[in-house]
Amino acid sequence: MDSIGEGRNLEMSRIPVIAGNWKMHLTGESSGALAQAVADHHGGETGRKCLVFPASVHLGSVGSVLAGTGVSLGAQDCHEAAEGAFTGEISAPMLKDMGVKVVLAGHSERRHVFGEEDSRIAAKAAAILGSGLDLMLCVGETLEERENDRTFEVLDRQLAALNSFSPEEGPRIAVAYEPVWAIGTGQTATPETAQAAHAHCRAAVAGILGDEVSASMPLLYGGSVNPSNAGELLSQPDVDGALVGGASLTIENFGPILDAARNA
Ligand code: PEP
């Protein structure tokens, strides 16, 4: 159970996935301590998958703490090229070499703070899968897009990053629906809103990679998930997990979210 893709099949593929995106937070010491606390809390349970995405400089030390614990190591981003003159960047093969299993592409901060466009995100997604890593593609609409009734159109456009992949690659892909207006704002999507968006994403994935891949693909919700709202979100039929930002930074908050996955 090292990655979102391992051991996947139609019977067991939709077990809940709880992922913590630590963004540009924590020190070497505090990220190691949090990784240990997450591993202890997870306890190697097989009824859920647990992933953490530390800052890239902490991947090595966090990876050492997580080895053999059943908690998978993820990276928050990568460059689309395998190598080259790209000062400051990290490639997918380099991440793989460090023991990373899963890489995010298209996180809203990459799209809206760093100006990454769909074509760049598609190239990164291809680099991630091409390097043998699993992909967690993040999609989500802005408040303005939602208010203009463009949510589904935006999700379709962003999910087109999967167009170049084959159904055989499907088991190495997860999608995280993260409405931009809900990230870091405390304004969580209602369970009904999340379910509607997830159902749309699942249908869109079916159109791209086929019904079988779509039926078994984990779709995570992200956007101000906390211990109080995790249970209801995870109980929605098409919400298979949570990508958690702020509340993943302490075990006091992340632990109960992990526990909510038990009953999902
Ligand atoms: C995120 O950054 O992916 C996220 C969902 O953040 P938060 O939980 O803080 O809204």
Side-chain angles (χ1 to χ4, degrees), residues 21 23 107 109 178 182-185 222-225 243-247:
N21 174 12
K23 309 193 188 192
H107 188 277
E109 286 143 22
E178 299 204 300
I183 296 181
T185 61
S224 298
V225 174
L243 179 54
V244 187

Side-chain angles (χ1 to χ4, degrees), residues 185-220:
T185 61
Q187 203 190 330
T188 320
T190 64
E192 295 74 25
T193 299
Q195 168 56 27
H198 280 231
H200 183 87
C201 289
R202 201 174 297 288
V205 170
I208 299 169
L209 292 169
D211 290 340
E212 197 170 324
V213 167
S214 162
S216 60
M217 182 175 288
L219 302 184
L220 286 71

Side-chain angles (χ1 to χ4, degrees), residues 21 104 106-109 138-142 155 158 176-183 198 220-223 242-245:
N21 174 12
L104 299 179
H107 188 277
S108 81
E109 286 143 22
C138 302
V139 298
E141 80 287 359
T142 62
L155 295 179
Q158 295 177 344
Y177 167 63
E178 299 204 300
V180 180
W181 47 269
I183 296 181
H198 280 231
L220 286 71
Y221 168 79
L243 179 54
V244 187

Side-chain angles (χ1 to χ4, degrees), residues 130-184:
S131 301
L133 292 160
D134 285 1
L135 163 69
M136 190 177 290
L137 176 69
C138 302
V139 298
E141 80 287 359
T142 62
L143 185 59
E144 190 188 355
E145 288 162 343
R146 172 160 286 274
E147 287 175 346
N148 287 310
D149 230 358
R150 292 184 49 220
T151 297
F152 292 167
E153 168 201 327
V154 169
L155 295 179
D156 289 345
R157 198 195 70 226
Q158 295 177 344
L159 287 167
L162 303 179
N163 277 347
S164 64
F165 303 135
S166 68
E168 289 67 39
E169 291 169 300
R172 295 200 288 121
I173 303 170
V175 168
Y177 167 63
E178 299 204 300
V180 180
W181 47 269
I183 296 181

